[in-house]
Amino acid sequence: MLEIATYMLRDIPNEERPRERMLQYGAGALSQAELLAILLRTGTRQESAIHMAQRILAENGGIRGILDLSLDELTKMKGIGPAKAVQIKAGIELGQRLARTRLPEAQTIRSPHDAADLLMEQLRYLHKEHFVCLFLNTKNHIIAQETLSIGSLNASIVHPREVFRAAIKCSSASVVCAHNHPSGDPTPSPEDIRMTERLCRAGDIVGIDVLDHIVIGDGKFVSLKEQGLM
């Protein structure tokens, strides 16, 4: 009688094991059977997880064949207990939910009012000055927002290197700066104007535009760009 050898996962060379291959090459390099084997985690005494995954796919006509299987139907398959059935269903459900999702609509800064509307309620009631940057891509979509400095009651000091280090980190094409005046009066101070000039000069050097500097008051704002101060 011909004896058919069976192989356990430990008998498979490391470079051929699903988890090791995923770590080395990424998920995109794995077959459907290898991905399913990772969800299964372990096999049985008779077959490895990868062999079990291959058998499950073959018995059900491929990955689409197991999409609609219930937990009860999965547990009736050889080697599949409740834990493995739950893992398979959870993995499939995550994939289906991802397929149904869409990226949230990007917020776009088209004018000083757009930036002020976004930041007004965040900043108007704060008792210390917060210096905030909106980092934008080439289409003026916000890709990041970061508070770079928190000052005293009436002073917020930020260095250009902090602004552009953060901008470069998120591959920003341009930046809108903003800070609040706890007094509620958004009139730019001489220091606000000087700081804006430094930021613009630094932006010219590194190739990242400073589109505006918004000063937020209590329900009011001033755009240094609109005021011709930058």
Side-chain angles (χ1 to χ4, degrees), residues 53-193:
Q54 291 169 340
R55 174 174 54 79
I56 292 171
L57 290 172
E59 290 176 353
N60 291 279
I63 193 69
R64 288 184 176 273
I66 65 174
L67 289 179
D68 295 325
L69 292 180
S70 66
L71 286 171
D72 185 57
E73 289 171 323
L74 282 168
T75 55
K76 290 179 179 178
M77 300 182 68
K78 180 181 177 183
I80 303 296
K84 283 185 170 58
V86 166
Q87 287 162 196
I88 292 172
K89 291 294 288 185
I92 290 172
E93 181 63 23
L94 278 174
Q96 290 180 316
R97 290 189 186 188
L98 178 60
R100 293 194 297 266
T101 61
R102 295 182 179 180
L103 289 173
E105 186 175 347
Q107 289 180 293
T108 304
I109 301 299
R110 299 183 180 89
S111 70
H113 291 269
D114 290 336
D117 288 345
L118 177 65
L119 297 172
M120 180 64 71
E121 297 307 312
Q122 299 179 36
L123 299 178
R124 65 185 293 189
Y125 301 115
L126 298 176
H127 296 298
K128 293 184 179 182
E129 284 198 3
H130 287 57
F131 190 91
V132 178
C133 284
L134 302 176
F135 299 107
L136 314 178
N137 62 17
T138 55
K139 296 184 178 180
N140 283 2
H141 295 163
I142 298 174
I143 55 176
Q145 175 181 328
E146 188 170 345
T147 299
L148 296 178
S149 173
I150 300 176
S152 62
L153 289 176
N154 58 1
S156 174
I157 300 173
V158 68
H159 195 282
R161 66 170 171 265
E162 297 166 336
V163 173
F164 294 104
R165 182 189 298 122
I168 292 169
K169 184 178 179 181
C170 63
S171 301
S172 176
S174 59
V175 59
V176 173
C177 302
H179 77 281
N180 63 302
H181 280 180
S183 66
D185 179 1
T187 303
S189 67
E191 175 55 29
D192 293 339
I193 297 170

